[in-house]
Amino acid sequence: MPITDPLTPVEAGELDSLGAGGSWTVFGRQLRVTNLDKVLFPGRDDRPPVTKRDFLRYTARIAPTLTPYLAGRPLNLHRYPNGAQTKGFWHKELPAHAPAWLSRWDNPEADPGETRTYLVADEPAALVWAANFGALEWHPWTSRAEAPHRPTYALVDLDPGPATGWEDVLTLARLHRTAFEHLGVTARAKVTGRRGIQIWVPIVNGPGFEETRAWVQELSRTVGAVVPELVSWKWQKSDRGGLARLDYTQNAINRTLVAPYSPRPAPGAPVSAPIGWDELDDSALRPDGFTIDDVLERLAERGDLFHAVLDRPQVLPPLT
C-alpha cells in the first residue's frame, strides 16, 4: 500500500507552473484543470485558505493510498464547485463529457430518473478528475459493482447530537473497541473530520445488507445499553433530545459514509482520518484535527491505519 508522495517532481512542478488552468499530465493521464487559484476552503486558525491547486495537489498525493478503497465500487460525489463555504449537492451520474478512459458502471436496476452510470475510481487519475470536477467529498459504496447487494463492509456511525460532547463520542467509541476485542472482530475507526467517529468492519462477500444491518443494530443496541443517557433510538432527529445516534441504517445499498482520507467541506479542509484504537485515549485527539496540510505527514509516519479493512474479510460472529 503506497504511503509516500506519489507525485514525481515533474508532475508537481507542472501543476505549480500552470496559471489559472491548463493541461496537467498526472499518473499517465492528461487532465484539463481549471480555476486553480479559486479558494475552495476558507482558512482556519493561522492557516491560509486552501485553493483548488492545493486541493488537487493533495488529491494526487493521497490517491494511490486511497484508490484501493474505491476500486470496483460505484462512487457518489459530493460536489462544491464554488467552494466549501457554499451549499453542496450530490452528483452521482457520470456526465457525458467525462473522459472515455474513466471506469464506469451502469446500474441495470436503475429506474427512470435514477442514476444510471456511476464513476468507478479504479486508478488515481480518476480521483484527480473528480476533484477537478468539484467533488470535495468522496463516498464509495460498501458493495462492489459486480455484486451490488453484497456489502464487503459493515458500518458503525457514531453520530453525535447537539448535546453530545466529544468526550461522549469517545466513550461510545471505546465501548465499541471493547466489544470488537471481546468478539475477536477486526475493525478500524476514523474521525469524521466533523464531530463524530465512524467504524468500518471488513466482512466476507456473502451476507446481504439486511443481515449486515441487523448485526450492526444488535451490536449498537448492546453498546448503547451500557450508557443509555448518551444515546437515543428515535428516528427523527428532533425527537432525540440532542443525544447521539448509533446509526446502523447506513448499511443499505447506495447508502455511504465518507471515504478515509476524504476532505470535508469546512474551513481548513479537515480530513476524515483513520486513527489507531489507542488514540481514543489521547487527550489531543479531535474529530476535525487532521487537515490536508498534515495528514500526509501522519500517513508517512504511521502508515495506513485503515489498511486492515482491505485484506481481512471475516464472518460476523453471533452476538447472543
Side-chain angles (χ1 to χ4, degrees):
M1 171 66 68
I3 60 172
T4 57
D5 190 339
L7 282 182
T8 67
V10 171
E11 290 171 326
E14 184 178 336
L15 177 63
D16 290 339
S17 68
L18 293 174
S23 180
W24 184 27
T25 302
V26 62
F27 302 118
R29 300 292 189 182
Q30 191 171 57
L31 300 177
R32 178 72 179 173
V33 293
T34 59
N35 301 316
L36 293 177
D37 297 321
K38 176 188 284 188
V39 171
L40 291 185
F41 301 85
R44 187 175 80 175
D45 301 328
D46 59 346
R47 297 182 179 182
V50 176
T51 66
K52 189 174 184 181
R53 192 189 315 268
D54 300 328
F55 174 51
L56 292 182
R57 186 184 301 108
Y58 169 78
T59 303
R61 293 183 69 189
I62 200 64
T65 297
L66 178 53
T67 299
Y69 298 96
L70 311 179
R73 302 175 188 275
L75 187 63
N76 297 340
L77 304 178
H78 207 181
R79 291 185 62 210
Y80 295 78
N82 293 315
Q85 65 273 27
T86 63
K87 185 175 177 59
F89 57 92
W90 288 101
H91 194 132
K92 301 179 182 181
E93 183 77 35
L94 189 66
H97 62 74
W101 55 265
L102 287 171
S103 296
R104 60 202 70 201
W105 174 63
D106 290 325
N107 182 5
E109 299 176 2
D111 292 327
E114 292 183 338
T115 300
R116 169 70 65 175
T117 303
Y118 289 83
L119 171 66
V120 179
D122 280 338
E123 58 179 290
L127 191 62
V128 180
W129 175 86
N132 183 68
F133 189 50
L136 302 193
E137 288 187 330
W138 315 314
H139 289 245
W141 283 28
T142 56
S143 56
R144 297 188 177 94
E146 63 191 25
H149 294 278
R150 302 292 179 184
T152 61
Y153 307 130
L155 305 177
V156 179
D157 186 12
L158 311 184
D159 183 16
T164 307
W166 176 233
E167 283 300 322
D168 298 331
V169 175
L170 289 174
T171 294
L172 292 168
R174 291 171 188 142
L175 287 170
H176 279 85
R177 176 180 64 184
T178 299
F180 290 128
E181 289 174 350
H182 174 74
L183 293 167
V185 167
T186 295
R188 291 295 181 266
K190 61 186 180 69
V191 292
T192 62
R194 287 182 168 170
R195 297 184 60 225
I197 291 176
Q198 296 167 349
I199 303 168
W200 290 22
V201 182
I203 61 175
V204 295
N205 193 342
F209 280 104
E210 184 175 354
E211 182 179 344
T212 304
R213 184 169 58 252
W215 189 88
V216 176
Q217 179 181 7
E218 186 176 355
L219 173 73
S220 295
R221 287 193 176 275
T222 301
V223 169
V226 179
V227 282
E229 70 279 7
L230 298 183
V231 178
S232 172
W233 301 104
K234 299 291 186 181
W235 179 258
Q236 295 294 334
K237 191 172 185 178
S238 58
D239 295 334
R240 296 177 200 159
L243 299 180
R245 175 173 168 80
L246 304 182
D247 190 0
Y248 53 85
T249 63
Q250 295 299 110
N251 294 279
I253 191 169
N254 203 359
R255 295 287 300 275
T256 60
L257 297 180
V258 68
Y261 305 109
S262 173
R264 308 308 300 273
V271 170
S272 184
I275 59 173
W277 285 115
D278 60 308
E279 291 184 273
L280 295 177
D281 304 315
D282 184 350
S283 61
L285 182 68
R286 293 293 180 271
D288 60 351
F290 305 109
T291 73
I292 66 171
D293 287 335
D294 51 39
V295 78
L296 286 159
E297 181 179 352
R298 171 181 167 83
L299 183 66
E301 291 175 350
R302 298 202 57 172
D304 180 10
L305 297 175
F306 225 56
H307 185 260
V309 308
L310 294 174
D311 58 11
R312 298 189 194 175
Q314 58 202 325
V315 174
L316 294 175
L319 299 177
T320 55

